[in-house]
Amino acid sequence: MEPRLVTEAAEPGQPNEDFTAATTDAMVVLDGATTPAGQPTGCRHGAAWYARTLGSLFLAAISPSHPLTGALAEAIDNVTTLHRGTCDLSHPGTPSATVAAARIQAGVMEHLVLGDCTVLLDRHRVGPLAVSDDRLGTIVQDKSVQGARAALHALPAGSPEHSGAYRELAEALAAHRNRPGGFWVASTDPRAAAEALTGTIPVSELSAVALLSDGAARLADRFGLAGWPIIAALLAAHGPAEVIRRTRAAEDSDPDGSRWPRAKPHDDATVAYWPLGPP
Ligand SMILES: [Zn+2]
């Protein structure tokens, strides 16, 4: 069976900064980091361009001779070359993206996750295992970041004050990005690929694998409305669009973020789902 991909922008008509693509033996999901409105980035292309360009180059670089980390490093290098001449890539706001990928080769599923995307391995008998990189969550415990987050979450989503607080949170986080002891995402430095979490599992042990951007993982990891076993069952029974539909329904039930404080009422949401059949 082949991968099934669904991606949806946070708001209709706005650019989708998530990206997903697949071949018959690999699939990728990327989530471009949103830049708060009015904040300079040094890049004329933007987060959506960065995510789709890096994602396309990454998928193209996946080959039998390459581990996924090598393909990702090559793709980061190539996207950097593409806009080095036109953009200031040393700017702290330069585009970045979180990344998840899975590929099958010789009966083995290899996965990669860099940043807060999730790889969901739905295993026969033992059930689903969600793999995500929680280093960003650790950084959120930092005092400056905690202060910025508390200020953000005390304000109603969509207000000008909320936008200002969001900008301050982004700046506090940027101080920890792609630094030893901080958190790692794809941006301009190919060495970030070596920081990705990776693993392998025989395909015969899996009923499915899914890649989710953080906007699609909210039901489980932010809202607590469904555990990963329920998400895995939803995917198997109804496909990836149903997970996004339920995420939007939950967000719409809490438009100002009073139940679930969050930076954005909706986020771009993406699920790449690869059913692998019975044991
Ligand atoms: Zn650029």
Side-chain angles (χ1 to χ4, degrees), residues 43-45 49 83 86-87:
C43 172
R44 63 167 68 172
H45 302 95
W49 173 87
H83 69 146
T86 52
C87 307

Side-chain angles (χ1 to χ4, degrees), residues 241-266:
E242 179 63 11
V243 170
I244 295 177
R245 193 191 67 75
R246 291 197 186 201
T247 305
R248 296 296 185 233
E251 290 165 341
D252 288 342
S253 75
D254 178 44
D256 61 358
S258 51
R259 181 173 178 194
W260 300 297
R262 54 198 192 271
K264 299 173 264 190
H266 302 289

